[in-house]
């Protein structure tokens, strides 16, 4: 018997079907029924007092719980509504009006991430999209595109479409050599392959919990390297 089989009963849908699409939405854990009821009970019976008694502290507490999976130090992971907003928070820390305004990624980035960066052209952002064959990212071409005019490299760790694993280490090393930052989208890697933000020395990492982390819609997370967080002043706050 495989020890992992014991987990099957914790996911109702696995009793009804073979579920192979966690890359879109993970199977709901049975415990969600109880957690959702507790949440509704607090709202129904504690009203506004629920903020002080529980809810205010949930954002940093959940951030730390997710951070433990990324090997992020406590206090370095904040929670947000979705990955697009995480990109926007990072973008709001930088001035793109100078010569260092290039934002480099590949055409296998998640579409909503690319829509965001494309829409920042009016703020001076110069997106540079490296072409791929739709499956693999040509690492050398990506590394060559990261130059001294590059401010940020927002790139997927594991590609949503093909499962291709980008060489995060090489991308981060090249970016740092030329003075650029990397925002690693770990939505499809956390929960499927080991991710250690401190070993990678990545500047930012973001993702969501609804695919591989047994969470639901509406919770995304943003890791910011602690020494960098000291220096940055986001203008998108909340
Ligand atoms: C790699 C990756 N990034 C981002 C997203 C989603 O972005 P958002 O939270 O902005 O909808 C997904 C999947 O939906 C994804 O697979």
């Amino acid at each position: 018997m495989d020890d992992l089989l014991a987990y099957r009963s914790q996911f109702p849908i696995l009793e009804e079907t073979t579920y192979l699409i966690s890359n879109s939405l993970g199977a709901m854990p049975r415990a969600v029924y109880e957690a959702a009821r507790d949440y509704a009970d607090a709202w129904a019976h504690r009203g506004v007092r629920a903020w002080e008694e529980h809810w205010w502290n949930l954002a940093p507490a959940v951030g730390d719980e997710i951070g433990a999976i990324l090997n992020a130090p406590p206090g370095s992971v904040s929670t947000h509504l979705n990955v697009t907003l995480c990109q926007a928070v990072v973008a709001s820390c930088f001035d793109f009006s100078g010569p260092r305004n290039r934002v480099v990624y590949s055409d296998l980035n998640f579409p909503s991430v690319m829509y965001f960066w494309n829409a920042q052209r009016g703020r001076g952002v110069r997106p540079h999209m490296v072409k791929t064959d739709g499956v693999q990212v040509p690492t050398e071409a990506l590394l060559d595109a990261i130059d001294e005019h590059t401010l940020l490299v927002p790139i997927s760790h594991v590609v949503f479409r093909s499962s291709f694993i980008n060489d995060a280490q090489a991308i981060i090393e090249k970016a740092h050599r030329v003075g650029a930052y990397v925002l690693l989208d770990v939505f499809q890697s956390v929960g499927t392959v080991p991710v250690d933000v401190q070993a990678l020395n990545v500047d930012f990492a973001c993702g969501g919990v609804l695919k591989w982390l047994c969470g639901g819609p509406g919770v995304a997370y943003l890791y910011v390297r602690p020494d960098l967080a000291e220096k940055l002043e986001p203008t998108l706050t909340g």
Side-chain angles (χ1 to χ4, degrees):
M1 270 288 270
D2 187 330
D3 289 346
L4 290 175
L5 285 175
Y7 287 94
R8 288 188 71 86
S9 61
Q10 295 183 26
F11 297 88
I13 206 168
L14 299 187
E15 284 165 13
E16 296 149 26
T17 189
T18 301
Y19 198 78
L20 294 174
I21 192 160
S22 292
N23 60 308
S24 180
L25 177 64
M28 191 195 87
R30 199 178 291 285
V32 170
Y33 287 118
E34 207 174 307
R37 196 176 317 105
D38 288 349
Y39 170 73
D41 280 349
W43 185 9
H45 299 292
R46 302 304 294 159
V48 71
R49 288 169 294 195
W51 286 121
E52 221 175 310
E53 291 168 0
H54 195 42
W55 292 345
W56 271 331
N57 293 329
L58 269 180
V62 170
D64 282 348
E65 242 178 276
I66 297 165
I69 306 169
L70 316 175
N71 191 31
S76 61
V77 175
S78 54
T79 51
H80 303 271
L81 284 178
N82 57 39
V83 160
T84 307
L85 260 178
C86 295
Q87 307 282 320
V89 170
V90 173
S92 85
C93 298
F94 296 110
D95 176 7
F96 294 92
S97 63
R100 192 184 274 275
N101 59 358
R102 234 157 99 104
V103 173
V104 175
Y105 48 85
S106 88
D107 61 15
L108 278 173
N109 253 14
F110 196 73
S112 62
V113 171
M114 295 197 280
Y115 300 152
F116 172 79
W117 287 107
N118 241 321
Q120 303 313 304
R121 288 174 189 270
R123 295 183 57 219
V125 169
R126 261 194 313 138
H128 179 91
M129 194 170 69
V130 173
K131 286 221 178 327
T132 74
D133 61 5
V135 177
Q136 306 198 27
V137 177
T139 304
E140 284 309 316
L142 183 67
L143 296 179
D144 285 349
I146 304 170
D147 61 10
E148 66 285 355
H149 294 295
T150 303
L151 201 162
L152 192 69
V153 184
I155 192 96
S156 293
H157 189 193
V158 168
V159 168
F160 79 105
R161 192 185 292 280
S162 63
S163 308
F164 179 82
I165 305 177
N166 266 309
D167 189 343
Q169 191 89 58
I171 294 165
I172 293 160
E173 279 170 14
K174 174 68 195 278
H176 288 176
R177 252 199 323 278
V178 297
Y181 299 100
V182 173
L183 168 50
L184 196 61
D185 179 348
V186 293
F187 212 141
Q188 299 286 1
S189 57
V190 172
T192 62
V193 295
V195 177
D196 182 332
V197 289
Q198 294 189 83
L200 284 170
N201 193 27
V202 69
D203 308 292
F204 309 94
C206 67
V209 300
L210 65 89
K211 301 172 192 290
W212 303 105
L213 296 185
C214 295
V219 180
Y221 52 88
L222 175 63
Y223 161 78
V224 183
R225 223 179 61 215
D227 63 296
L228 199 54
E230 296 281 324
K231 298 183 217 149
L232 298 174
E233 289 286 346
T235 57
L236 175 48
T237 62

